């Protein structure tokens, strides 16, 4: 059993970067073009608009998650440095 927390800052930054890139890719999709769906055109347009809005929300959520993961990595590093200074007796 591990009795200590070990955080790899490079791994956290890699995760944050992947989340950022995924969010950017989804955010770049934009609105779908109109489709010729005959009698189902209105329903199809409504469905595609709902999907586009959900995709935009997901993209925003991925960007938010990326920021939080990156912030957590910085916090872990700062707290680790502070703890090391306390242990070493440095002011």
């Amino acid at each position: 059993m591990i009795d200590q927390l070990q955080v790899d800052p490079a791994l956290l930054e890699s995760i944050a970067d992947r989340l950022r890139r995924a969010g950017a890719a989804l955010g770049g999709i934009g609105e779908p073009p109109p489709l010729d769906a005959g009698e189902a055109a209105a329903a199809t347009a409504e469905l595609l608009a709902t999907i586009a809005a959900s995709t935009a929300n997901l993209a925003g959520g991925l960007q938010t998650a990326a920021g939080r993961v990156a912030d957590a990595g910085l916090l872990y590093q700062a707290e680790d440095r502070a703890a090391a200074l306390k242990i070493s007796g440095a002011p």
Side-chain angles (χ1 to χ4, degrees), residues 30-33 35 37 40-55:
E31 291 292 320
L35 296 175
T44 302
E46 185 178 336
L47 176 63
L48 290 175
T50 300
I51 292 170
S54 295
T55 301

Side-chain angles (χ1 to χ4, degrees), residues 50-68:
T50 300
I51 292 170
S54 295
T55 301
N57 286 337
L58 178 58
L62 288 169
Q63 295 296 341
T64 298
R68 289 181 179 173

Side-chain angles (χ1 to χ4, degrees), residues 20-91:
R20 276 187 215 102
R21 286 185 284 129
L26 282 175
I29 291 175
E31 291 292 320
L35 296 175
D36 182 11
E39 292 180 17
T44 302
E46 185 178 336
L47 176 63
L48 290 175
T50 300
I51 292 170
S54 295
T55 301
N57 286 337
L58 178 58
L62 288 169
Q63 295 296 341
T64 298
R68 289 181 179 173
V69 169
D71 289 348
L74 294 174
L75 180 62
Y76 286 134
Q77 288 180 47
E79 288 183 358
D80 192 43
R81 278 192 293 273
L85 289 174
K86 284 182 183 179
I87 291 171
S88 70

Side-chain angles (χ1 to χ4, degrees), residues 3-24:
D3 61 350
Q4 60 182 314
L5 176 63
Q6 294 185 4
V7 177
D8 181 355
L11 178 59
L12 287 179
E13 183 51 41
S14 173
I15 292 168
D17 183 57
R18 285 180 175 186
L19 290 167
R20 276 187 215 102
R21 286 185 284 129

